[in-house]
Amino acid sequence: VLPTIYAITPTYKRAVQKAELTRLSNTFRLIPQFHWIVVEDSNARTELVSRFLAHSGLQCTHLHVPTPRRYKRPGMHRATEQRNAALDWLRMHRSSKNPGVVFFADDDNTYSVELFEEMRWTRKVSVWPVGLVGGGRYERPLVDKGRVVGWYTGWNANRPFPIDMAGFAVNLQVVLENPKAMFKRQGSKPGMQESDFLKQITKVEELEPRAANCTKVLVWHTRTEKVNLGNERWRDSIHIEV
Ligand code: UDP
Ligand code: MN
């Protein structure tokens, strides 16, 4: 059987939210054996996201957890609590009987369909390049004889795993076998979310390079411009969800 791909997407309310989710779901619909875990950064599940997922045609789990106010500041890591909530859900609802792969799919990135077939047969942790990240055109693991031997990265190459959230996937069994592995805020420095997490479950020597020995970009760390709502002067007579 094909291992299920569990994509974990933290998301929060803003003008572009539905557009982002639409772009994502249109890609995800093309992926067989796919399960979308959407975690809203909110006090409750919103109607917009609930309705959206119900009509998406995707196998979905819809969770929510609010980021504590003190962490909603510039420079703070984003979506720590949401990713952890998804990991908790997997540990509660999946077991050694469920072949799967876990991937952290932020709502604003761009994913090629090919990427998901690259990650599907991950044994422990697989890695690949990410485009448009780290202040350069791409970042990637350097590979020699099928092993990761270093990193091409724009900044702080001394991080244990200088890799973006979109640059790796983890076998579901590794998540289940390491029940305490989580994203942390305590003691975590800027840009260290990925390293702090990966350190708990793997070693560089074990990483499985994908995407033609990490020479192909199949995911892009795109960021969506903040929308200008400054021209919205009137009130329409009907309410339209955007
Ligand atoms: N996010 C969130 N709450 C926030 C800010 C961001 O849940 O207050 C989510 C966002 O929807 C995305 C992920 O966290 O899926 C990463 O955020 P963002 O894309 O803004 O981070 P960056 O691209 O700057 O790393
Ligand atoms: Mn982003």
Side-chain angles (χ1 to χ4, degrees), residues 10-12 14 41 72 78-79 83 106-108 221 223:
T11 186
Y12 68 110
R14 62 216 193 272
D41 180 352
K72 285 258 190 193
R78 302 191 178 109
R83 294 189 187 102
D106 286 357
D107 64 1
D108 58 342
H221 187 256
R223 302 184 74 191

Side-chain angles (χ1 to χ4, degrees), residues 12 17 37 83 86 128 143 155 162 236:
Y12 68 110
Q17 184 178 31
I37 305 181
R83 294 189 187 102
W128 51 78
V143 179
W155 69 285
D236 198 352

